Amino acid sequence: MDLEISPSLTVPASELAWRFSRSSGPGGQHVNTTDSRAELIWDLAGSATLTDEQRQLLLKRLGRKLVAGVITVTASEERSQLRNREIALAKLAGLIGKGLVPETVRRASKPTRGSARRHRAAKELRSATKQQRRRPSAE
């Protein structure tokens, strides 16, 4: 099953690796006998579907989640392995989609007239407080 991240980017199933194990949590004795925890592994650094710019951006933004250029997503929320597989796919798609969103540049705005007035009033109040602390003149 291919993983569609955006209309222009789809990771083929051949690049995804699955690993299953026993999970903890709800399920009673069922938990002790089935491998319902799903781990989805994708070699981001060696992927042929990404452009060099996308790869560098993802390596930079997801750096602390990567181990040797490989990202691993786990899901053990549900009792069903199938449902955990779907959750893991959604988690990976969300991480990659978020990592590829271009950064917005913040443009500084001018202070409002009211905020400038309040700033000036606070400075004058502080100045008056400090002037009152001075030693009285000898006159």
Side-chain angles (χ1 to χ4, degrees), residues 32-77:
N32 301 330
T33 59
T34 59
D35 293 336
S36 60
R37 179 175 179 259
E39 284 186 41
L40 178 58
I41 302 157
W42 183 45
D43 184 9
L44 188 132
S47 176
T49 59
L50 297 173
T51 64
D52 288 335
E53 297 84 25
Q54 289 174 331
R55 184 176 293 106
Q56 292 304 317
L57 187 62
L58 285 173
L59 288 172
K60 183 180 123 192
R61 289 190 179 167
L62 301 177
R64 53 194 179 97
K65 295 179 189 261
L66 299 174
V67 177
V70 176
I71 189 164
T72 303
V73 178
T74 61
S76 60
E77 291 88 6

Side-chain angles (χ1 to χ4, degrees), residues 86-107:
E86 293 168 354
I87 292 170
L89 283 168
K91 281 183 181 181
L92 183 62
L95 275 174
I96 304 223
K98 236 187 257 183
L100 290 175
V101 171
E103 286 186 18
T104 56
V105 179
R106 183 189 175 276
R107 289 182 288 164

Side-chain angles (χ1 to χ4, degrees), residues 40 79 83:
L40 178 58
R79 290 174 58 177
R83 184 68 186 118

